[in-house]
Structures are given as structure tokens and as C-alpha cells.
Amino acid sequence: MCGIVGYVGAGNAQDIILDGLSKLEYRGYDSAGISIIESGKMKTRKLSGRLGVLAGSLEKDPISGTIGMGHTRWATHGAPTDDNAHPHTNGKGTIAVIHNGIIENYRPIKDELLALGYKFKSETDTEVIAHLLDHYYEGDLLQAVFKTEARLRGAYALVVMCESSPDEIIAIRHESPIILGVGEGENFIASDIPAILKYTNKVVYIENKDIVRLTRSGYEIFGEDRKRIDRQVRTIEWDLESATKEGYEHFMLKEIYQQPSVISETINRRLDENGSLFLENIAIDEDTIKLINKIYVVGCGTAYHAGLVGRYLLQEFLKVDAQAEIASEFRYSDHYIDDKTLVVIVSQSGETMDTIGALKAAKAKGARILSITNVVGSSIARESDDIFYTWAGPEIAVASTKAYTTQLTAFYILALYFGKLKGTLEDKCYDEILAELKTLPGKVEASLPAFAEKAKAAAQEIKDSKSIFYLGRGLDYYTALEGALKLKEISYIHTEAFPAGELKHGTIALIEEGTPVIAVATQQSIYEKMVSNIKEVKARGAVVTGITRKRNTDLSEVADTVIYLEESFNIFMPLLSVVYPQLLAYYTSLAKGNDVDKPRNLAKSVTVE
Ligand code: F6R
């Protein structure tokens, strides 16, 4: 979603802001803009297209100044045009605002402003804020911001500057995330840490409904009651290097190859000196876990797919009813939830609007909230009773890979830990499963080179396909869902996942001569059934790639190509079987000449409903 960078200090604001915005490109955007106060005058430049278009214009005709803000826009209200790009200004161009999120009540405010004679240049919801600020401004920007903010409904992060106050930037956080970077004689505001990490690793997570005023010499934060409040300054431990490609052609490829090490990290951080599991940030004890009589696992997209596997594990190990739900559905549904319900929230970014909405809805009904997230201090982490950090490091590619496998790892650990705590998992099983879990990073590592070779070749075969199908049963169906999502989101080929047994109830009509079908068949108890389903699609002309365990050599008699996985327990197969589909999606996108890391229409962090 939109990227925000604000700077006030002694440095060249234009360079710092452009550099910061470039670090946020992964969020997805379609236009970019900047406002800088140059010799006492607000100058705003904004253009549709990539950041390079704006940078090119600024190179030819720079704006020099030491206070400014920039924005990359992901269109919601109005097409990605120059006029709709941010910053938006009042009529005189002296007050500028950038915004991430949606102003839900912008329509009546716009009507009111039109009646007062204000003229609008864009189709955006954001422009009303610039005019409202103008309306309320009486020489004190902070007071004008307080009055303006009180009028707004929706989710937003806003940054505001005014020509008459050339030493201050004011930012508001309301549901949409924003962070403050604390420097020496300079301060920063941004929608995400990579934007400012080159300049400072001291960060304040702005809390929901806070307003922050930053100047060259310091900053003040005002809480919801608009009284001054202190917020903790945190030191970011990861460096910018972990947010760069490190020699890989794309972030996605780097992140796929990082999986062995980040899965290890996720496991090793939970092992005590005896090799047993311990969980910090999780306060659920034996009594609490025994009281839980219902579990919901909630997330969006890839996180939801991890949740499907997680639901299975929790139900199996804790012997309690568990359900996985899509966050945007769950938040508006009428589930029976009470204080005996555990809701497990899964979100890489910790900032997905629908997932936050689901969390809040469940919390309001009394559920205990355990979140699995990758971002320390994210909104979801802060709203939760218990937190499991996945320690995957920053995931930059829009298509999620290492976040998924570390989310799976989190579920293995949680199910084991809670199963033991509750007494529903025997010690012997616990020991065997934990021992096997520790071997997974090595198994993923061992499979990567051969999978990459095979995926590269297969990409050439499938890149011009009209439709592709993934099939699976049980846990394999969840891998099929994730494999299909990966392929469609970056190759733009229509790809669907089906429970293999369901095909003949309609979908098999779509199979024709040459249709690629990828069949995941790792669950031994239903392996024969998968073989029959593969035969059904083969008989109708499908070209089948099977993904199975090493021992099932007979699959080569039925499928055209077989990808063999390292042996492991059934429950661990989702983690091993997803790696080939990730690589297949990557190489197919590459073969089609697509922007692998930044696929069209998508954003990394979905902070609107
Ligand atoms: C797909 C993908 C998305 C995210 C989804 C949730 O590759 O990345 O489907 O999984 O938008 O995002 P988080 O996990 O940040 O809540």
C-alpha cells in the first residue's frame, strides 16, 4: 500500500525522501509525489508512474530544502493520475498532506467544503483533508490538525506540512501504521522501517490515534486525549542489508532460498539448553489451555493458507474443535465466541486491515488472542494477549514465501507446546515430532537446487497456458491452494486449486488436451485415491506433474513428471511440498517477463478493507 516518508533536519530533503520511498517500493504503488519547503515556499511535484519518473523530473529541476515529505500512492479513490497523486494541497498550495488509508466520510465533508467555495483538483478522498486544514488554520498547524482529525472517519496515516511553519511536520496514525525515526538534529516519519534505516535505527512505533509533531530538534507525541505522552524508543536490530537482494536477481528468489535459515531461526529461538520448547511472549498456562473449547485460526491469503494447516495441527494435538477462517469474512460473521475461545491471528506484516478487524471483533467478544506475526511491535502484536514472532526477517517480495513456511513452523511449535501442556500429546510423540521438526531446514535446503532446475524447465512449458490446476487432498489441498495463489499472483495465469475428489462434480469439464495439472500427493493414507484422480485428468488430456514423497516411485507411471520430496511425517509435508510451487511461480513469472517482486494490482501490506 502507499508509502510515506517525511524528513526534517539539515540534510537534503529531496534525496532523503526519494531514497526512503525507493525502500518502500515493495509495498506496491502507481504514482509518486513530494512536497518540500524551499526558501520559505512550499513546492509540490507529483507524477503518475514509477518513482523513477518523479526522480527524473527532480533531477532536471530539483527542489532544495531541509524539510519535506514524499508519497507513493496505490490508487483507491480515483485513477492513478498526476492530479490524484499525493501530496494534496489547499488552493494556495501552502498546506500539503499525504495519506495512507481511506477517509470513509469524505463525501459529506467534500460537499460542505464545496459549499464554502473550496475547489477540488482530484478525485481522491485525501484532498478534503488539505482543504479542511486550510479551513481550520489560524496560525497554529497543530490546532488545525486536531480540529481536522476530529472530523475524519476511517483508517488513515496522515502527514501534514505548512509553508508558514517551516520547522514542523505533523503526522497522525489512525489504524494505518506509521513510525517515527529519531535522529541527531533530524527526525523522520515513515510508513515502514526500511525507509529510514539508512539514517537511524532508533524508532518509535506511533500508537493508534496518536498525533506526532516533529521538528529538527525533537518530537512530541499526543495521545488520544491530545495530552502529551511518552512512547518507547526501540532500537532496530536488523540492518538494511537484510532488506536488499544480496546478489539474487529478485527478493522473491532470495526469500525462497532463505527458508532453511529462517525456519531454523524460528525453531532455535524456542529451544532451551536441553533442546525442549519454551515460548516467550506466550502466557497461556496449563489451566488456560484446558479451558479453551474452541479455536479459530484467522488470516488473509497466504497467511490463511498457513492457518488451514495450523487449524489441523491444533485440532489434532489439542483434541479441541478448531476452524480456519478468512479474516474479511470472519470479522463480519456471527460466530459464537466467548472467553473460552482462542483466536489465532496469522499475519506476516501484522498490519493487514481485515485481520486487525477480525482480531478486534473477536477480542470484543472476550476471546483470547494469540498472534503469529513477523513484525515486532506491529499493530496485531500490540493488540494480542500472546505473540509468536516468526523471525523470518523482512519479507520484501509481494508474493509471500518465507513468511508462509515460518508460519507453518510456528504452528508446529505451538501445537506441540500446547499439546504437551494440555496432556493431549504423549511425551513420546512430542519427542519424536520435535526431533523431526529440527530436521526440516536441512530437508528444504537439500531440495532447493533440484527443484530450481525442474521449475525453470517447467516454467517454459506452462508459461503460455490459459489455465492451470492444482489438486490435493487433506493437508495437500492446502499446499495446492498456496501453490495456485503463488502462481496466479505473479504469472497472471489463471490457476485454481481443487480438492482432488471434488473435480468430477464440475471442474473436470475444464480439463482439455494439454492443460497443466499439478497434483500434490504426499499423504500416504489417501495416496491411492490421489493416483485415481490423476488418472482421471490424464484420461482427459491433462499434462500432470506429481509432487510426492521419495518412496512413491510408482507415481512416475501415471504422472508425466514427478517431483520427489524428502521423507518426513505426514504433518510436515505441507512445509516440504510448497517449495517447488514457490519456485515454479517464480520462474514462470520470470519467463513471462513480469515484475516478479511487484506484481500488478497488488500491494505488500494491505492496509485497506
Ligand atoms: C500472497 C500474499 C498475501 C498475504 C496477505 C496477508 O503471496 O502475500 O496473500 O499473505 O495479504 O498478509 P499478512 O500476512 O501481512 O497479513
CSV table of all heavy atoms in Angstrom, one decimal, residues 121-156:
chain,number,residue,atom,x,y,z
A,121,LYS,N,-9.2,19.5,-7.1
A,121,LYS,CA,-8.5,19.2,-8.3
A,121,LYS,C,-8.4,17.7,-8.6
A,121,LYS,O,-8.0,17.3,-9.6
A,121,LYS,CB,-7.0,19.8,-8.2
A,121,LYS,CG,-6.9,21.3,-8.1
A,121,LYS,CD,-5.5,21.7,-8.1
A,121,LYS,CE,-5.2,22.8,-7.1
A,121,LYS,NZ,-4.3,22.6,-6.0
A,122,SER,N,-8.7,16.9,-7.6
A,122,SER,CA,-8.6,15.5,-7.7
A,122,SER,C,-9.8,14.7,-7.4
A,122,SER,O,-10.8,15.3,-6.9
A,122,SER,CB,-7.5,15.0,-6.8
A,122,SER,OG,-8.0,14.9,-5.5
A,123,GLU,N,-9.8,13.4,-7.7
A,123,GLU,CA,-11.0,12.6,-7.3
A,123,GLU,C,-10.8,11.9,-6.0
A,123,GLU,O,-11.5,11.0,-5.6
A,123,GLU,CB,-11.2,11.5,-8.4
A,123,GLU,CG,-11.3,12.0,-9.8
A,123,GLU,CD,-10.9,10.8,-10.7
A,123,GLU,OE1,-9.6,10.7,-11.0
A,123,GLU,OE2,-11.7,10.1,-11.2
A,124,THR,N,-9.7,12.3,-5.3
A,124,THR,CA,-9.4,11.5,-4.1
A,124,THR,C,-10.2,11.9,-2.8
A,124,THR,O,-10.7,13.0,-2.7
A,124,THR,CB,-7.9,11.7,-3.7
A,124,THR,OG1,-7.7,13.1,-3.4
A,124,THR,CG2,-7.0,11.4,-4.9
A,125,ASP,N,-10.2,11.0,-1.9
A,125,ASP,CA,-10.7,11.3,-0.6
A,125,ASP,C,-9.8,12.2,0.2
A,125,ASP,O,-10.2,13.0,1.0
A,125,ASP,CB,-11.0,10.0,0.2
A,125,ASP,CG,-9.8,9.0,0.2
A,125,ASP,OD1,-8.9,9.2,-0.6
A,125,ASP,OD2,-9.8,8.1,1.1
A,126,THR,N,-8.5,12.1,-0.1
A,126,THR,CA,-7.4,12.8,0.7
A,126,THR,C,-7.5,14.3,0.5
A,126,THR,O,-7.3,15.1,1.5
A,126,THR,CB,-6.0,12.4,0.2
A,126,THR,OG1,-6.0,11.0,0.2
A,126,THR,CG2,-4.9,12.9,1.0
A,127,GLU,N,-8.0,14.8,-0.6
A,127,GLU,CA,-7.9,16.2,-0.9
A,127,GLU,C,-8.8,17.0,0.1
A,127,GLU,O,-8.5,18.1,0.5
A,127,GLU,CB,-8.3,16.5,-2.3
A,127,GLU,CG,-7.9,18.0,-2.7
A,127,GLU,CD,-8.3,18.3,-4.1
A,127,GLU,OE1,-8.7,17.4,-4.9
A,127,GLU,OE2,-8.3,19.5,-4.4
A,128,VAL,N,-9.9,16.3,0.6
A,128,VAL,CA,-10.7,17.1,1.6
A,128,VAL,C,-9.9,17.5,2.8
A,128,VAL,O,-10.2,18.5,3.5
A,128,VAL,CB,-11.9,16.2,2.1
A,128,VAL,CG1,-12.9,15.9,0.9
A,128,VAL,CG2,-11.6,15.0,2.9
A,129,ILE,N,-8.9,16.7,3.2
A,129,ILE,CA,-8.1,17.0,4.4
A,129,ILE,C,-7.3,18.3,4.2
A,129,ILE,O,-7.2,19.1,5.1
A,129,ILE,CB,-7.1,15.8,4.7
A,129,ILE,CG1,-7.9,14.5,4.8
A,129,ILE,CG2,-6.3,16.1,5.9
A,129,ILE,CD1,-7.0,13.2,4.8
A,130,ALA,N,-6.7,18.4,3.0
A,130,ALA,CA,-5.9,19.7,2.7
A,130,ALA,C,-6.8,20.9,2.9
A,130,ALA,O,-6.5,21.9,3.5
A,130,ALA,CB,-5.3,19.6,1.3
A,131,HIS,N,-8.1,20.8,2.3
A,131,HIS,CA,-9.0,22.0,2.4
A,131,HIS,C,-9.5,22.2,3.8
A,131,HIS,O,-9.7,23.3,4.3
A,131,HIS,CB,-10.1,21.8,1.4
A,131,HIS,CG,-9.6,21.8,0.0
A,131,HIS,ND1,-8.8,22.8,-0.5
A,131,HIS,CD2,-9.8,20.9,-1.0
A,131,HIS,CE1,-8.5,22.6,-1.8
A,131,HIS,NE2,-9.1,21.4,-2.1
A,132,LEU,N,-9.8,21.0,4.5
A,132,LEU,CA,-10.2,21.2,5.9
A,132,LEU,C,-9.2,21.8,6.8
A,132,LEU,O,-9.5,22.7,7.6
A,132,LEU,CB,-10.5,19.8,6.5
A,132,LEU,CG,-11.9,19.3,6.6
A,132,LEU,CD1,-11.9,18.0,7.4
A,132,LEU,CD2,-12.9,20.3,7.2
A,133,LEU,N,-7.9,21.5,6.5
A,133,LEU,CA,-6.8,22.1,7.3
A,133,LEU,C,-6.8,23.6,7.0
A,133,LEU,O,-6.6,24.4,7.9
A,133,LEU,CB,-5.5,21.4,6.9
A,133,LEU,CG,-5.2,20.1,7.5
A,133,LEU,CD1,-4.1,19.3,6.7
A,133,LEU,CD2,-4.8,20.2,9.0
A,134,ASP,N,-7.0,23.9,5.7
A,134,ASP,CA,-7.0,25.3,5.3
A,134,ASP,C,-8.1,26.1,6.1
A,134,ASP,O,-7.9,27.2,6.6
A,134,ASP,CB,-7.2,25.4,3.8
A,134,ASP,CG,-7.2,26.8,3.3
A,134,ASP,OD1,-8.3,27.4,3.3
A,134,ASP,OD2,-6.1,27.3,2.9
A,135,HIS,N,-9.2,25.4,6.1
A,135,HIS,CA,-10.4,26.0,6.8
A,135,HIS,C,-10.2,26.2,8.3
A,135,HIS,O,-10.6,27.3,8.8
A,135,HIS,CB,-11.6,25.0,6.6
A,135,HIS,CG,-12.9,25.4,7.2
A,135,HIS,ND1,-13.5,26.5,6.9
A,135,HIS,CD2,-13.6,24.8,8.2
A,135,HIS,CE1,-14.6,26.6,7.7
A,135,HIS,NE2,-14.7,25.6,8.5
A,136,TYR,N,-9.5,25.3,8.9
A,136,TYR,CA,-9.3,25.4,10.4
A,136,TYR,C,-8.0,26.2,10.8
A,136,TYR,O,-7.8,26.5,11.9
A,136,TYR,CB,-9.3,24.0,11.0
A,136,TYR,CG,-10.6,23.4,11.1
A,136,TYR,CD1,-10.8,22.1,10.5
A,136,TYR,CD2,-11.7,24.0,11.7
A,136,TYR,CE1,-12.1,21.5,10.6
A,136,TYR,CE2,-12.9,23.4,11.7
A,136,TYR,CZ,-13.1,22.1,11.2
A,136,TYR,OH,-14.3,21.5,11.2
A,137,TYR,N,-7.1,26.4,9.8
A,137,TYR,CA,-5.8,27.0,10.1
A,137,TYR,C,-5.9,28.5,10.5
A,137,TYR,O,-6.4,29.3,9.7
A,137,TYR,CB,-4.9,26.8,8.9
A,137,TYR,CG,-3.5,27.3,9.2
A,137,TYR,CD1,-2.7,26.6,10.1
A,137,TYR,CD2,-3.0,28.5,8.6
A,137,TYR,CE1,-1.4,27.1,10.4
A,137,TYR,CE2,-1.7,28.9,8.9
A,137,TYR,CZ,-0.9,28.2,9.8
A,137,TYR,OH,0.4,28.7,10.1
A,138,GLU,N,-5.5,28.8,11.7
A,138,GLU,CA,-5.5,30.2,12.2
A,138,GLU,C,-4.1,30.5,12.8
A,138,GLU,O,-4.0,31.1,13.8
A,138,GLU,CB,-6.5,30.3,13.3
A,138,GLU,CG,-8.0,30.2,12.7
A,138,GLU,CD,-9.0,30.2,13.9
A,138,GLU,OE1,-8.6,29.9,15.0
A,138,GLU,OE2,-10.2,30.5,13.5
A,139,GLY,N,-3.1,30.0,12.1
A,139,GLY,CA,-1.7,30.3,12.5
A,139,GLY,C,-1.1,29.3,13.4
A,139,GLY,O,0.1,29.4,13.7
A,140,ASP,N,-1.8,28.2,13.8
A,140,ASP,CA,-1.2,27.1,14.6
A,140,ASP,C,-1.6,25.8,13.9
A,140,ASP,O,-2.7,25.3,14.0
A,140,ASP,CB,-1.8,27.2,16.0
A,140,ASP,CG,-1.2,26.2,16.9
A,140,ASP,OD1,-0.7,25.1,16.4
A,140,ASP,OD2,-1.2,26.4,18.1
A,141,LEU,N,-0.6,25.2,13.3
A,141,LEU,CA,-0.8,24.0,12.5
A,141,LEU,C,-1.3,22.8,13.3
A,141,LEU,O,-2.2,22.1,13.0
A,141,LEU,CB,0.5,23.5,11.7
A,141,LEU,CG,0.3,22.4,10.8
A,141,LEU,CD1,-0.7,22.7,9.7
A,141,LEU,CD2,1.7,22.0,10.2
A,142,LEU,N,-0.7,22.7,14.5
A,142,LEU,CA,-1.2,21.6,15.4
A,142,LEU,C,-2.7,21.7,15.8
A,142,LEU,O,-3.4,20.7,15.7
A,142,LEU,CB,-0.3,21.6,16.7
A,142,LEU,CG,-0.5,20.4,17.6
A,142,LEU,CD1,-0.1,19.1,16.9
A,142,LEU,CD2,0.3,20.5,18.9
A,143,GLN,N,-3.1,22.9,16.1
A,143,GLN,CA,-4.5,23.1,16.4
A,143,GLN,C,-5.4,22.8,15.2
A,143,GLN,O,-6.5,22.2,15.3
A,143,GLN,CB,-4.8,24.5,16.9
A,143,GLN,CG,-4.2,24.8,18.3
A,143,GLN,CD,-4.6,23.8,19.3
A,143,GLN,OE1,-5.8,23.4,19.4
A,143,GLN,NE2,-3.7,23.4,20.2
A,144,ALA,N,-4.9,23.2,14.0
A,144,ALA,CA,-5.7,22.9,12.8
A,144,ALA,C,-5.8,21.4,12.6
A,144,ALA,O,-6.8,20.8,12.2
A,144,ALA,CB,-5.1,23.6,11.6
A,145,VAL,N,-4.7,20.7,12.9
A,145,VAL,CA,-4.7,19.2,12.7
A,145,VAL,C,-5.6,18.6,13.7
A,145,VAL,O,-6.4,17.7,13.3
A,145,VAL,CB,-3.2,18.6,12.9
A,145,VAL,CG1,-3.3,17.1,13.0
A,145,VAL,CG2,-2.4,19.1,11.7
A,146,PHE,N,-5.6,19.0,14.9
A,146,PHE,CA,-6.5,18.5,16.0
A,146,PHE,C,-8.0,18.6,15.5
A,146,PHE,O,-8.8,17.7,15.5
A,146,PHE,CB,-6.4,19.2,17.3
A,146,PHE,CG,-5.2,18.8,18.1
A,146,PHE,CD1,-4.8,19.6,19.2
A,146,PHE,CD2,-4.4,17.7,17.7
A,146,PHE,CE1,-3.6,19.3,19.9
A,146,PHE,CE2,-3.2,17.4,18.5
A,146,PHE,CZ,-2.9,18.2,19.5
A,147,LYS,N,-8.3,19.8,15.0
A,147,LYS,CA,-9.7,20.0,14.6
A,147,LYS,C,-10.1,19.2,13.3
A,147,LYS,O,-11.2,18.7,13.2
A,147,LYS,CB,-9.9,21.5,14.3
A,147,LYS,CG,-9.9,22.4,15.5
A,147,LYS,CD,-10.2,23.9,15.2
A,147,LYS,CE,-10.1,24.7,16.4
A,147,LYS,NZ,-9.8,26.1,16.2
A,148,THR,N,-9.1,19.1,12.4
A,148,THR,CA,-9.4,18.4,11.2
A,148,THR,C,-9.6,16.9,11.5
A,148,THR,O,-10.5,16.2,11.0
A,148,THR,CB,-8.2,18.6,10.2
A,148,THR,OG1,-8.1,20.0,9.9
A,148,THR,CG2,-8.4,17.8,8.9
A,149,GLU,N,-8.7,16.4,12.3
A,149,GLU,CA,-8.7,15.0,12.6
A,149,GLU,C,-10.0,14.6,13.3
A,149,GLU,O,-10.5,13.5,13.0
A,149,GLU,CB,-7.5,14.6,13.6
A,149,GLU,CG,-7.0,13.2,13.5
A,149,GLU,CD,-7.8,12.3,14.4
A,149,GLU,OE1,-8.3,12.8,15.4
A,149,GLU,OE2,-7.8,11.1,14.2
A,150,ALA,N,-10.5,15.5,14.1
A,150,ALA,CA,-11.8,15.2,14.8
A,150,ALA,C,-12.9,15.0,13.8
A,150,ALA,O,-14.0,14.4,14.2
A,150,ALA,CB,-12.1,16.3,15.8
A,151,ARG,N,-12.8,15.4,12.6
A,151,ARG,CA,-13.9,15.3,11.6
A,151,ARG,C,-13.8,14.0,10.8
A,151,ARG,O,-14.7,13.7,10.1
A,151,ARG,CB,-13.8,16.5,10.6
A,151,ARG,CG,-13.9,17.9,11.2
A,151,ARG,CD,-15.3,18.2,11.7
A,151,ARG,NE,-16.3,17.8,10.7
A,151,ARG,CZ,-16.7,18.6,9.6
A,151,ARG,NH1,-16.1,19.8,9.5
A,151,ARG,NH2,-17.6,18.2,8.8
A,152,LEU,N,-12.6,13.4,10.8
A,152,LEU,CA,-12.4,12.3,9.9
A,152,LEU,C,-12.8,10.9,10.5
A,152,LEU,O,-12.6,10.6,11.7
A,152,LEU,CB,-10.9,12.2,9.5
A,152,LEU,CG,-10.3,13.5,9.0
A,152,LEU,CD1,-8.8,13.3,8.7
A,152,LEU,CD2,-11.0,13.9,7.7
A,153,ARG,N,-13.4,10.1,9.6
A,153,ARG,CA,-13.7,8.7,9.9
A,153,ARG,C,-13.0,7.8,9.0
A,153,ARG,O,-12.9,8.1,7.8
A,153,ARG,CB,-15.2,8.5,9.8
A,153,ARG,CG,-15.9,8.6,11.1
A,153,ARG,CD,-17.3,7.9,11.2
A,153,ARG,NE,-17.8,7.5,9.9
A,153,ARG,CZ,-18.8,8.2,9.3
A,153,ARG,NH1,-19.3,9.3,9.9
A,153,ARG,NH2,-19.3,7.8,8.2
A,154,GLY,N,-12.5,6.6,9.4
A,154,GLY,CA,-11.9,5.7,8.5
A,154,GLY,C,-10.6,5.3,9.1
A,154,GLY,O,-10.3,5.3,10.3
A,155,ALA,N,-9.7,4.8,8.2
A,155,ALA,CA,-8.4,4.3,8.6
A,155,ALA,C,-7.4,5.2,7.8
A,155,ALA,O,-7.5,5.3,6.6
A,155,ALA,CB,-8.2,2.9,8.2
A,156,TYR,N,-6.5,5.8,8.6
A,156,TYR,CA,-5.5,6.6,7.9
A,156,TYR,C,-4.2,6.8,8.7
A,156,TYR,O,-4.2,6.8,9.9
A,156,TYR,CB,-6.2,8.0,7.6
A,156,TYR,CG,-7.0,8.6,8.7
A,156,TYR,CD1,-6.3,9.3,9.7
A,156,TYR,CD2,-8.3,8.4,8.8
A,156,TYR,CE1,-7.1,9.8,10.8
A,156,TYR,CE2,-9.1,8.9,9.9
A,156,TYR,CZ,-8.4,9.6,10.9
A,156,TYR,OH,-9.1,10.1,11.9
